[in-house]
Amino acid sequence: MSYRATLIPGDGIGPEVTKAAQVVAEATGVTIDWEVADAGEKAIREKNTPLPDAVLESIRRNKVALKGPITTPIGSGFRSVNVALRQQLDLYASVRPARAIAGEGTRFPETDLVVVREATEGLYAGVEHWVDREHSAAETINIITRKASDRIVRFAFELARREGRRKVTAVHKANIMKTTGGLFQTAFREMAKQYPDIASEERLIDNMCMQLAKKPEEYDVIVTTNLFGDILSDLCAGLAGGLGVAPGALFGEGIAVFEPVHGSAPKYAGQDKANPVAEILSLELMLRHLGEREAAERVWRAVWETIAEKKVVTYDLALPGYTARPVAPSSCSAMAREIARKVPLVDLSRPLPKPAAGWGATTDPSLET
Ligand code: NAD
């Protein structure tokens, strides 16, 4: 089959990592007709807006987009493209898989979970004000609706069923926030009855953080409200190996946008140095969404094998601190070519290889902000 998808190269390292994903996409044999749409700095220069209508129209038309990171200009009056995109397209579900790859860059090599975050309301609804003229008191209102809670919880159960996952864990603070937390909890409990084939459980947010820091391998799909989801997504990205390898996806009604968790890393722009894996795994999620499961599995395997083999990896995956077996770093494009080379060759029937020198080291100093 062939598909048409919007491609937003983005800013900074965005054009390099999206190019890398295109090279890998081509190797899968799935024909994707990329409709390139510029948002961010190039769009500001050429069209005086960071998010031209043509970009939104392209995504609405194609229903699927692969996006590079976009720089949020500081103090220029332009708002964040990422926030605007979410609002304009009503991208209500933010999905972040956290899967450890070949044991590298993680203390938890068995981590394989997905965080599903409600992305339209909660404490991020933007309902906030100063209480007094002196700005000595402020209030942010936490808006939780039954409609949005039902929608995100159903999304999480459907994802679990589609991806063959076994359990959905709802995370809230209903013991303290009795109305907002309680509403989300009720929505979860009632929806869970419609999915008897999927196990369901609840955790309080504080306990969830402790549990994740001790035994993330016990969790599968996590569904939660906006602020908790924002924090848990990053926590889980860290557990699984860090920013350079963390993909993401945003879903609306009939629309999906795939993008890495990391930003535009301006200091590496144009140097062919950035790690392309997060963008390539965002492509993998896109292929799964399109129903191209074998192609997606091949991309995942090729990434895994490239990282496990550790012959052609970018600087951040090659350094001591990330790996117990440091090697000479390769470029972004070389790593993409290596992954693409492996895509048609991987043997899906064999178990995933583990790295030769045992599980990797534990920190990721190169990706600290
Ligand atoms: P960042 O993710 O760009 O960078 C954090 C650190 O990680 C830096 O040291 C960077 O060099 C490194 N890094 C990030 N991705 C890397 C990769 N693929 N390979 C190697 N190193 C990598 O975060 P930031 O510095 O806070 O943000 C930079 C810009 O990106 C800001 O304008 C921010 O608003 C934007 N941003 C955009 C998105 C998005 O488009 N979804 C997400 C986050 C940040």
Side-chain angles (χ1 to χ4, degrees):
M1 267 190 83
S2 72
Y3 304 90
R4 196 168 170 78
T6 302
L7 180 82
I8 303 173
D11 297 321
I13 59 171
E16 297 157 57
V17 293
T18 50
K19 178 76 208 153
Q22 283 180 286
V23 167
V24 173
E26 200 163 341
T28 65
V30 176
T31 310
I32 302 175
D33 179 10
W34 299 104
E35 186 176 296
V36 177
D38 285 317
E41 288 168 340
K42 191 167 173 207
I44 293 175
R45 279 196 307 276
E46 292 175 1
K47 307 216 165 98
N48 202 32
T49 168
L51 185 59
D53 286 344
V55 176
L56 294 167
E57 282 158 21
S58 171
I59 300 173
R60 287 197 182 102
R61 197 168 48 244
N62 296 324
K63 313 250 179 273
V64 60
L66 182 68
K67 177 181 164 295
I70 293 176
T71 301
T72 301
I74 296 170
S76 72
F78 290 113
R79 53 204 286 255
S80 159
V81 170
N82 301 304
V83 173
L85 204 61
R86 273 170 223 177
Q87 287 174 347
Q88 298 277 337
L89 299 175
D90 191 24
L91 299 171
Y92 68 88
S94 168
V95 175
R96 299 259 189 94
R99 301 166 295 180
I101 308 173
E104 292 285 339
T106 176
R107 290 173 202 236
F108 303 103
E110 308 299 330
T111 304
D112 178 11
L113 56 82
V114 185
V115 180
V116 176
R117 160 189 169 196
E118 204 293 324
T120 64
E121 56 175 29
L123 274 161
Y124 291 3
V127 186
E128 56 179 358
H129 61 226
W130 295 107
V131 171
D132 60 357
R133 287 212 180 122
E134 292 74 39
H135 288 191
S136 70
E139 184 174 50
T140 298
I141 298 189
N142 185 18
I143 298 190
I144 299 290
T145 64
R146 182 61 192 259
K147 190 173 165 218
S149 301
D150 280 344
R151 182 164 77 161
I152 197 69
V153 171
R154 183 181 297 108
F155 183 96
F157 276 105
E158 287 293 326
L159 181 146
R161 197 177 259 176
R162 201 170 55 244
E163 295 296 329
R165 288 181 173 268
R166 64 188 196 285
K167 181 171 75 171
V168 178
T169 305
V171 177
H172 54 67
K173 190 72 182 171
N175 57 335
I176 304 291
M177 298 195 289
K178 305 234 184 255
T179 55
T180 50
L183 186 57
F184 185 77
Q185 180 184 47
T186 304
F188 178 74
R189 288 182 178 178
E190 291 187 9
M191 191 66 70
K193 291 181 197 149
Q194 294 181 29
Y195 295 86
D197 50 318
I198 313 277
S200 62
E201 64 180 14
E202 295 169 37
R203 291 280 180 275
L204 297 174
I205 177 65
D206 41 346
N207 180 247
M208 185 79 236
C209 292
M210 192 272 287
Q211 300 272 339
L212 283 168
K214 283 182 82 80
K215 41 187 179 182
E217 65 282 357
E218 291 199 358
Y219 293 91
D220 200 346
V221 176
I222 293 171
V223 63
T224 188
T225 48
N226 210 340
L227 170 67
F228 296 158
D230 194 6
I231 297 166
L232 287 183
S233 297
D234 266 34
L235 169 63
C236 292
L239 291 173
L243 272 184
V245 296
L250 293 158
F251 293 86
E253 300 295 351
I255 286 184
V257 177
F258 299 86
E259 64 172 351
V261 171
H262 64 70
S264 55
K267 71 179 176 200
Y268 295 133
Q271 294 176 33
D272 195 15
K273 194 175 168 184
N275 184 349
V277 168
E279 189 77 51
I280 290 170
L281 292 180
S282 301
L283 167 79
E284 178 230 350
L285 300 183
M286 183 178 122
L287 290 166
R288 278 185 203 283
H289 172 71
L290 293 172
E292 295 290 345
R293 300 191 80 86
E294 186 188 328
E297 204 54 41
R298 286 188 172 279
V299 171
W300 170 242
R301 296 282 300 219
V303 166
W304 179 294
E305 290 186 12
T306 303
I307 290 178
E309 196 177 272
K310 225 166 227 311
K311 287 194 180 135
V312 189
V313 290
T314 47
Y315 79 95
D316 54 314
L317 304 175
L319 293 175
Y322 189 82
T323 176
R325 262 186 328 125
V327 291
S330 298
S331 65
C332 172
S333 53
M335 187 172 184
R337 281 196 302 276
E338 177 61 14
I339 293 167
R341 186 186 71 77
K342 286 190 165 73
V343 164
L345 303 176
V346 290
D347 180 354
L348 296 180
S349 64
R350 279 182 31 213
L352 286 162
K354 297 192 171 179
W359 301 119
T362 54
T363 56
D364 186 1
S366 62
L367 291 182
E368 276 165 15
T369 44

